[in-house]
Amino acid sequence: INNFDHPHIIIMTNIDPTYIICGRGPRNYNHEGNVKFRKLIEKYVHLYSESSKGKKTELVNTLIEEIRHDDMKFMEFTKEGEWKELTLKESRQKISHRFRDVL
């Protein structure tokens, strides 16, 4: 089930290779989904750096679509010890933040 806009419905117990895991540390950094996410960012960072605010928003939406197309999703580990999918808004923020980190 992919319920991107209603993450409270999706609780996962396994770490899937398509997850983009939020958080720091080598385990998350080296996770297959996170590696693929960083490669996507690298693919578009030059375009992002030269874009206006409106074009940056479009670019973030393009990445959201690529992530969805590849059945990937942003996940975080909750205080309750479960995996939760981030909302669309939170996912956009993660992408924008990663672009800013790279620049």
Side-chain angles (χ1 to χ4, degrees):
I1 297 174
N2 186 356
N3 201 344
F4 207 65
D5 296 316
H6 302 283
H8 60 281
I9 296 172
I10 306 256
I11 302 295
M12 307 289 184
T13 54
N14 298 321
I15 303 175
D16 190 277
T18 62
Y19 293 173
I20 302 166
I21 302 172
C22 300
R24 299 187 183 273
R27 181 173 154 236
N28 295 349
Y29 185 84
N30 294 318
H31 180 68
E32 186 177 335
N34 292 51
V35 171
K36 189 169 184 178
F37 173 62
R38 287 194 309 275
K39 287 180 181 177
L40 269 177
I41 293 292
E42 289 173 18
K43 178 179 170 182
Y44 290 104
V45 70
H46 182 72
L47 183 59
Y48 184 89
S49 70
E50 296 180 349
S51 295
S52 66
K53 184 176 180 178
K55 292 291 182 185
K56 286 178 180 177
T57 299
E58 289 178 25
L59 189 55
V60 168
N61 289 333
T62 297
L63 261 73
I64 288 288
E65 291 305 315
E66 283 196 40
I67 287 167
R68 283 181 168 177
H69 181 265
D70 292 341
D71 294 324
M72 297 175 69
K73 56 184 89 176
F74 286 90
M75 303 294 287
E76 67 180 359
F77 199 67
T78 67
K79 293 177 184 176
E80 294 77 27
E82 298 172 309
W83 291 102
K84 178 182 89 71
E85 185 177 359
L86 271 60
T87 64
L88 183 57
K89 180 180 179 181
E90 291 168 328
S91 297
R92 283 185 181 126
Q93 290 171 342
K94 292 292 182 184
I95 293 169
S96 297
H97 186 236
R98 183 65 192 161
F99 273 126
R100 289 190 302 272
D101 282 349
V102 171
L103 296 174

